Amino acid sequence: MTERTPSHLDALESEAVHIFREVAGEFERPVILFSGGKDSIVMLHLALKAFAPATVPFSLLHVDTGHNFPEVLDYRDRVVAAHGLRLHVASVQDYIDRGVLRERPDGTRNPLQTLPLTEKIQAERFDAVFGGGRRDEEKARAKERVFSLRDEFSQWDPRRQRPELWNLYNGRHAPGEHVRVFPLSNWTELDIWQYIAREDIELPSIYFAHYREVFQRDGMWLTPGDWGGPRDTETVEKRQVRYRTVGDMSCTGAVDSDARTLKQVIAEIAASRLTERGATRADDKLSEAAMEDRKREGYF
Amino acid sequence: MTTDTLRLATAGSVDDGKSTLVGRLLHDSKSILTDQLEAVTRASRGDSPDLALLTDGLRAEREQGITIDVAYRYFATPRRRFILADTPGHVQYTRNMVTGASTAELTVILVDARNGIVEQTRRHAAIAALLRVPHIVLAVNKMDLTGYQQPVFEHIAEEFTAYATELGVPEVTAIPISALNGDNVVEPSAHTDWYGGPTVLEHLETVPVSHDPAHCHARLPVQYVIRPQTAEHPDYRGYAGQIAAGTFRVGEQITVLPSGRTTTITGIDQLGTPVDAAWSPLSVTLLLADDVDVSRGDLIVPSQGAPTATRTIVATLCHLHERPLRDGERLLLRHGARTVRAVVERITHQLRLHDLSLSPAPVELPMNAIGQAVLRTAEPVHVDPYAVSRRTGAFLLVDAADGSTRTAGMAGEAFIAPGTNRASGGLGREHVAS
């Protein structure tokens, strides 16, 4: 065997594994944000490889908006059981029921996730919180460090980030503060899909083309549900679609697609002229700086 | 996947058009998707989309029209993938330029053709040289505002190349461009028929990227000890880390530092798959023949070619924090997976950027200053010269009280000490401090 330049995916994988092991070595109570979406699924897969043959030394945290796709919740529970992991759930519905949070007029619950998330981090005293955020997703995320220090209110201050040099990550923090950790920072959407294909990772079925009842709102195909759709003026039709991202039903749109295999999905994404968030996320269109504003408040 | 990846960083002074160049590079290489361009067009004030808005993603950046923090961009051509660190030019944010350059294999330094070389250009060239970024591109921008005149370009290119040569930079590629109009960024310009070189993208696609791991002996900073203690793996004890340099092979004799215990490698797991050999920058787990005491922060090295232990480090420092670094200050030194207590014994020099001369015994280094110091550590550390390994020669100085990252450090003398006549790293060859 002779030395060669590692493939693009090998290099990304090694970098992410290095980050997982740094956190395991430096922090007391790390947790992985796990939504059942493809990025968090890849994160968990990398964590499993990083500590093999031992188990992952982290628990999982899901922020449940109450409007999740049933296929995704089912996937989440199967994965947790299969790997003997501990799952924490922060429930947006619970906060609404208690009157702490109020439903927004547009029915979108993504911005409501911040409070349950940050309170759960405080209550469980998590000191490192892994997120699947990628810098290619959005212009505010492009500014994010791999280790991102958050104060006791989970706030992100982009002007006061620590310089981050070489692969030396500084995770020191005061009690009450925590560090958001982004092992997939340097991955693109296409890298994620190519890695899923290479590693043969199982995904929730909604990522592949299937026939589903949908209706159109603001140019996106949404799934009908108790969350508030369709309205009287909106009509439901059956279309062949798939999802590029997985999130709250009220703001995650499906795309027309006949890609039923990983190979077909990769071909479709490589040819797409839309970013995944532009194609399927309503919440980022709320304002020019929607993501930055949410991140400042503690969103992941 | 056969395409390789080039990590690059941009640098330059405020208003010289870095964000516009990056936007142009992304736009003309068709890396901007429809919805991103629509968003930029909506946010632009003029008739045509302001490409700088593609990268200036923060509210404050848009308000002030400057780049505050590093933004990382990803794009690909059929020939290569790129990870681009778009770094700020403002002197107040020089630390972010250092951040971007620390992992870069190429730096694009922009100058405004009307202004030529300014202090920030020199600062950025010096930082790129100290951080040993292998390739430097000088992009002489705004050629459209100087009538695309060849002498303007050549004068700047010559002055910069002379300065870079003094810094020890082996090669500079100078390209006349207009980021605004797209001249020589992706497509060759019709206005510069006197220029026979590559466009910026063409150069980025073809510059040789060296991942050659042979420069340094193998190094594995141990990050974590994997001990499943399960029925299936009762005795598994693996030492996990990312190989910082060189190659490890099964059967090879290794030494664990700082204990100095010697044993052999019985197995290498590359994330669950046994392999015979593994090299930088792969993350692996090593299995060893003897039950030696190894923990996080230790360094595994081949028994032939171990670094020497030292408690005194001479290093080049880039100070990154608002609070100056002072003689006698006590800090934490972070090297690989190891953190040790350290004291700044003496700041010996500060580099004057305008002429690369050294001001001796400055007592403190203010933010954004580059200097040389002698550090003493509480325990022996095993650093390689940064000139030999960018990974195992680098370290951070961290404030023990509030955890802030204060200083970036590179082991070894990078510029000449007063009174001697030999530059060990090339910087400041002719400029002994007066």
Side-chain angles (χ1 to χ4, degrees):
Chain A
M1 218 170 170
T2 54
E3 292 87 345
R4 54 168 182 79
T5 302
S7 78
H8 179 66
L9 291 179
D10 284 336
L12 288 173
E13 181 185 58
S14 279
E15 182 179 69
V17 163
H18 171 80
I19 293 161
F20 277 112
R21 289 167 169 176
E22 279 300 284
V23 171
E26 293 271 302
F27 291 83
E28 298 287 326
R29 287 179 63 78
V31 70
I32 300 177
L33 288 175
F34 188 82
S35 66
K38 63 183 187 308
D39 299 311
S40 58
I41 289 170
V42 166
M43 271 209 297
L44 179 58
H45 181 84
L46 289 160
L48 288 163
K49 288 186 88 168
F51 301 100
T55 51
V56 174
F58 316 125
S59 54
L60 303 184
L61 168 58
H62 183 215
V63 184
D64 186 341
T65 63
H67 292 158
N68 286 295
F69 293 91
E71 298 94 325
V72 177
L73 291 180
D74 174 61
Y75 179 95
R76 178 195 77 183
D77 293 338
R78 274 191 293 121
V79 165
V80 167
H83 299 295
L85 298 165
R86 173 155 183 223
L87 176 73
H88 304 267
V89 178
S91 161
V92 174
Q93 187 64 55
D94 189 38
Y95 275 70
I96 293 172
D97 292 346
R98 286 193 283 124
V100 182
L101 287 175
R102 267 185 310 171
E103 200 86 74
R104 295 160 50 98
D106 61 6
T108 294
R109 285 187 171 183
N110 260 13
L112 303 186
Q113 293 181 79
T114 304
L115 187 67
L117 169 68
T118 54
E119 289 199 346
K120 187 61 119 182
I121 290 169
Q122 290 299 318
E124 294 287 339
R125 289 178 291 108
F126 293 128
D127 54 0
V129 181
F130 288 103
R134 307 188 320 263
R135 288 172 179 151
D136 83 319
E137 280 181 272
E138 206 278 335
K139 58 186 181 299
R141 283 196 167 156
K143 301 268 173 184
E144 183 65 91
R145 297 286 193 265
V146 174
F147 272 40
S148 180
L149 185 66
R150 303 298 171 101
D151 65 12
E152 60 178 313
F153 301 101
S154 289
Q155 296 179 111
W156 182 59
D157 184 350
R159 302 177 88 156
R160 300 195 59 82
Q161 300 191 88
R162 284 177 182 163
E164 197 160 79
L165 299 107
W166 299 288
N167 62 345
L168 296 171
Y169 301 110
N170 177 0
R172 291 184 79 87
H173 60 282
E177 296 177 341
H178 71 278
V179 175
R180 296 280 170 92
V181 183
F182 300 99
L184 305 181
S185 286
N186 287 324
W187 298 53
T188 65
E189 184 188 15
L190 200 54
D191 297 329
I192 293 286
W193 280 105
Q194 285 171 339
Y195 188 72
I196 288 167
R198 186 184 93 168
E199 301 283 304
D200 197 19
I201 303 170
E202 189 201 338
L203 290 182
S205 55
I206 64 170
Y207 277 114
F208 300 96
H210 57 289
Y211 284 94
R212 168 183 287 267
E213 290 199 325
V214 288
F215 68 92
Q216 197 160 41
R217 181 182 292 175
D218 300 331
M220 291 198 315
W221 294 111
L222 299 178
T223 293
D226 296 340
W227 59 265
R231 298 186 189 121
D232 295 343
T233 52
E234 295 162 337
T235 49
V236 172
E237 54 185 292
K238 201 158 196 176
R239 299 180 74 90
Q240 187 176 224
V241 296
R242 66 173 203 89
Y243 285 84
R244 278 176 78 174
T245 64
V246 158
D248 187 79
M249 273 190 191
S250 62
C251 64
T252 307
V255 292
D256 286 313
S257 169
D258 54 9
R260 291 179 170 275
T261 65
L262 281 172
K263 208 174 159 188
Q264 289 165 342
V265 168
I266 289 169
E268 189 180 282
I269 288 166
S272 173
R273 296 306 303 156
L274 290 177
T275 65
E276 61 178 299
R277 298 199 79 88
T280 64
R281 284 299 179 93
D283 45 327
D284 289 343
K285 295 177 184 164
L286 294 175
S287 85
E288 182 53 33
M291 177 67 88
E292 179 184 349
D293 295 344
R294 274 184 288 147
K295 279 172 64 66
R296 279 176 179 275
E297 290 163 13
Y299 189 77
F300 40 87
Chain B
M1 192 59 44
T2 52
T3 51
D4 61 359
T5 303
L6 178 73
R7 287 191 185 231
L8 68 148
T10 59
S13 193
V14 181
D15 287 334
D16 53 16
K18 275 186 314 300
S19 296
T20 309
L21 172 66
V22 174
R24 175 61 65 189
L25 209 50
L26 297 172
H27 178 266
D28 289 4
S29 65
K30 309 210 169 20
S31 305
I32 303 299
L33 300 182
T34 311
D35 56 309
Q36 292 171 316
L37 199 59
E38 278 170 7
V40 166
T41 308
R42 269 200 306 277
S44 301
R45 298 207 172 119
D47 294 336
S48 54
D50 178 357
L51 295 177
L53 296 180
L54 282 168
T55 55
D56 288 341
L58 300 175
R59 276 186 188 280
E61 292 177 326
R62 287 162 183 255
E63 279 162 22
Q64 299 172 40
I66 61 167
T67 307
I68 291 171
D69 204 345
V70 190
Y72 290 89
R73 302 287 153 186
Y74 304 82
F75 65 107
T77 66
R79 299 169 85 164
R80 193 169 260 179
R81 288 162 180 267
F82 301 94
I83 298 178
L84 185 154
D86 183 24
T87 73
H90 200 280
V91 65
Q92 187 186 344
Y93 300 106
T94 299
R95 58 177 188 235
N96 293 329
M97 192 256 155
V98 177
T99 293
S102 71
T103 52
E105 289 153 295
L106 180 146
T107 301
V108 180
I109 297 178
L110 270 94
V111 298
D112 184 327
R114 296 169 302 174
N115 305 332
I117 311 295
V118 296
E119 174 156 347
Q120 268 304 74
T121 319
R122 292 194 181 91
R123 188 188 300 271
H124 288 160
I127 291 170
L130 286 169
L131 288 163
R132 296 196 172 255
V133 180
H135 303 278
I136 292 185
V137 172
L138 176 75
V140 182
N141 192 23
K142 306 195 184 183
M143 286 300 295
D144 51 318
L145 301 181
T146 60
Y148 296 100
Q149 288 175 58
Q150 184 176 7
V152 172
F153 168 74
E154 279 178 355
H155 174 72
I156 295 170
E158 275 165 30
E159 187 185 343
F160 182 84
T161 305
Y163 183 80
T165 305
E166 281 189 38
L167 292 167
V169 173
E171 191 191 301
V172 173
T173 303
I175 305 175
I177 68 165
S178 162
L180 194 66
N181 299 335
D183 291 290
N184 292 330
V185 177
V186 171
E187 299 297 333
S189 169
H191 302 291
T192 56
D193 48 11
W194 43 265
Y195 169 73
T199 66
V200 174
L201 184 65
E202 204 180 322
H203 181 68
L204 298 182
E205 282 182 317
T206 53
V207 68
V209 179
S210 169
H211 293 288
D212 183 7
H215 290 314
C216 183
H217 291 290
R219 302 281 183 260
L220 183 87
V222 176
Q223 288 183 279
Y224 195 76
V225 182
I226 295 176
R227 284 194 306 138
Q229 294 178 296
T230 55
E232 205 185 336
H233 301 282
D235 302 320
Y236 186 101
R237 198 180 165 88
Y239 304 101
Q242 185 175 23
I243 301 174
T247 301
F248 286 98
R249 289 190 167 77
V250 174
E252 187 177 13
Q253 191 180 65
I254 57 95
T255 298
V256 180
L257 300 170
S259 75
R261 293 283 303 274
T262 292
T263 181
T264 52
I265 298 173
T266 54
I268 303 175
D269 274 355
Q270 197 194 319
L271 309 182
T273 310
V275 293
D276 296 331
W279 46 85
S280 166
L282 296 174
S283 281
V284 295
T285 307
L286 297 188
L287 303 168
L288 304 178
D290 302 297
D291 220 357
V292 293
D293 176 22
V294 186
S295 56
R296 175 173 168 82
D298 287 356
L299 188 66
I300 297 178
V301 301
S303 299
Q304 303 294 321
T308 48
T310 179
R311 287 186 54 196
T312 304
I313 303 172
V314 176
T316 299
L317 305 179
C318 289
H319 188 62
L320 310 168
H321 199 271
E322 289 146 0
R323 271 202 312 285
L325 188 75
R326 295 201 165 87
D327 274 0
E329 203 171 345
R330 287 172 187 277
L331 296 136
L332 299 173
L333 185 144
R334 176 70 196 268
H335 174 248
R338 188 136 183 257
T339 303
V340 296
R341 299 203 164 267
V343 60
V344 182
E345 189 114 305
R346 197 162 52 91
I347 299 167
T348 52
H349 309 99
Q350 182 175 338
L351 186 67
R352 294 192 190 104
L353 288 157
H354 60 283
D355 64 353
L356 298 180
S357 67
L358 299 169
S359 67
V363 183
E364 66 173 41
L365 280 184
M367 183 161 78
N368 296 319
I370 295 167
Q372 189 170 288
V374 180
L375 308 171
R376 195 160 45 81
T377 57
E379 300 157 49
V381 286
H382 299 86
V383 290
D384 290 299
Y386 187 81
V388 173
S389 168
R390 281 176 87 187
R391 282 274 182 258
T392 57
F395 61 87
L396 301 179
L397 295 179
V398 173
D399 195 304
D402 66 7
S404 57
T405 300
R406 299 281 299 283
T407 311
M410 289 157 282
E413 288 181 52
F415 43 83
I416 192 165
T420 67
N421 250 336
R422 221 185 93 260
S424 53
L427 188 55
R429 190 174 294 273
E430 306 299 328
H431 293 265
V432 177
S434 48

